[in-house]
Amino acid sequence: MTTGEVEESDVPTRALLRGLRGAARAIVDYALPPRCPGCGIIVGEDRQFCLACWSSLQFLDGPACAHCSIPLPIALPGAPLACGACLASPPPFDGAPAAVAYGPVARTVALRLKYGRRTGHARLMARLMARQLAMLGGADEILLVPVPLHRWRLWSRGFNQAALVADELTRLTGASRDHHLLLRVKPTASLRGKGRRERERIVAGAFALATDAKARVAGRHVVLVDDVHASGATLRAAVKVLRRSGAAQISALTWARVVPDALMTGNIFDFASLDSDMTDEVMTG
């Protein structure tokens, strides 16, 4: 039998397999229909928001501080802007964009991934984070580093949600990743309800670099990946340690960012009195 005849004989088989897969998918969708990640109602496709939840998401693609990426009410042409907090005390990272503002739907998605074991939500989050990642630089320049969990928390949870998101970003964009460049060497208490100084004290000394970190970074643009940016205490502590690796640039990228309401309404008078790091930690890492 010639090669052409073999290929022709495979055509009905492939068509049959496609038909069987389609039938199996229809049965699964009937028994377990895809549901909105935000509210749980039935939707048309997996990892698809319903119209109401999609409309409620606040995408952070407007003017932002050049240092911490907190949204700004106005943009001035020709010059990068900085928020008051960064003018007073610049953060250790070179930008910290997020896909959406932290709100009811963004919170539900993050919590269902983190505590509900809906690991497929990592793909959804990464898909909406990919545009912000592209704005940070080319995929060949970037090294994704997920915020690590301490081994005790990793054992109890079974996975690191930040690592799952980083894996999906790699799949979507081609950017390389390193799960073990940054280590969490000290367990930390919850940051919820703590003041800024207390948060800084809790995360101090929590992170360390792998022994060969400098060779692995080699002048790359390191992008620290996490699910939620609340007060920023965890991100700042991690980035300060990453600075020792010799990275050419270090940014942070998250799914959701806690943003004071005044910044989202564009009220410049309310904005003038806000510190981008005043909000309470809403999730633990």
Side-chain angles (χ1 to χ4, degrees):
M1 184 179 292
T2 64
T3 302
E5 291 173 333
V6 172
E7 291 177 351
E8 289 179 4
S9 67
D10 285 343
V11 171
T13 302
R14 288 198 294 267
L16 176 61
L17 290 174
R18 283 196 298 270
L20 290 173
R21 282 195 294 268
R25 175 62 185 272
I27 294 171
V28 170
D29 284 350
Y30 180 78
L32 299 169
R35 295 183 177 274
C36 171
C39 67
I41 70 168
I42 296 175
V43 292
E45 300 288 339
D46 284 336
R47 290 176 285 278
Q48 179 184 74
F49 287 107
C50 69
L51 180 59
C53 287
W54 177 260
S55 300
S56 73
L57 289 172
Q58 295 177 304
F59 292 92
L60 299 180
D61 50 8
C65 172
H67 302 290
C68 72
S69 301
I70 195 80
L72 296 177
I74 57 173
L76 298 177
L81 294 178
C83 68
C86 289
L87 288 173
S89 179
F93 38 70
D94 306 301
V100 297
Y102 189 85
V105 173
R107 177 180 184 273
T108 296
V109 172
L111 289 177
R112 285 179 174 172
L113 167 60
K114 194 168 186 177
Y115 301 117
R117 296 183 173 274
R118 304 286 182 85
T119 55
H121 285 7
R123 181 172 299 183
L124 165 69
M125 294 159 70
R127 191 168 70 232
L128 297 180
M129 293 164 65
R131 181 172 61 171
Q132 298 284 6
L133 180 62
M135 294 175 66
L136 290 174
D140 57 334
E141 307 167 355
I142 286 173
L143 178 64
L144 301 171
V145 176
V147 172
L149 296 179
H150 188 267
R151 63 181 182 274
W152 295 349
R153 186 162 294 174
L154 184 60
W155 289 340
S156 64
R157 187 174 300 165
F159 62 89
N160 178 359
Q161 72 281 352
L164 295 181
V165 174
D167 288 346
E168 291 297 336
L169 284 169
T170 292
R171 187 185 64 82
L172 288 169
T173 68
S176 57
R177 66 192 184 282
D178 192 329
H179 286 196
H180 307 294
L181 180 74
L182 185 66
L183 310 174
R184 197 155 192 155
V185 295
K186 186 182 82 170
T188 53
S190 170
L191 303 184
R192 182 176 299 176
K194 304 293 194 303
R196 177 169 180 171
R197 290 183 180 178
E198 180 66 8
R199 293 180 185 130
E200 301 286 355
R201 186 193 65 77
I202 290 172
V203 296
F207 299 102
L209 289 173
T211 54
D212 58 345
K214 290 186 177 180
R216 286 151 69 170
V217 169
R220 303 281 296 277
H221 179 179
V222 172
V223 176
L224 189 66
V225 177
D226 206 0
D227 51 359
V228 173
H229 182 164
S231 74
T234 299
L235 294 179
R236 286 194 301 274
V239 169
K240 287 176 182 177
V241 173
L242 284 170
R243 284 289 176 197
R244 304 171 197 158
S245 69
Q249 190 175 354
I250 302 177
S251 305
L253 176 65
T254 53
W255 153 245
R257 173 79 178 263
V258 174
V259 180
D261 290 340
L263 301 188
M264 300 308 298
T265 60
N267 187 330
I268 191 168
F269 299 104
D270 288 344
F271 167 77
S273 65
L274 288 171
D275 184 320
S276 66
D277 203 37
M278 286 175 62
T279 54
D280 284 339
E281 191 80 40
V282 291
M283 292 180 65
T284 59

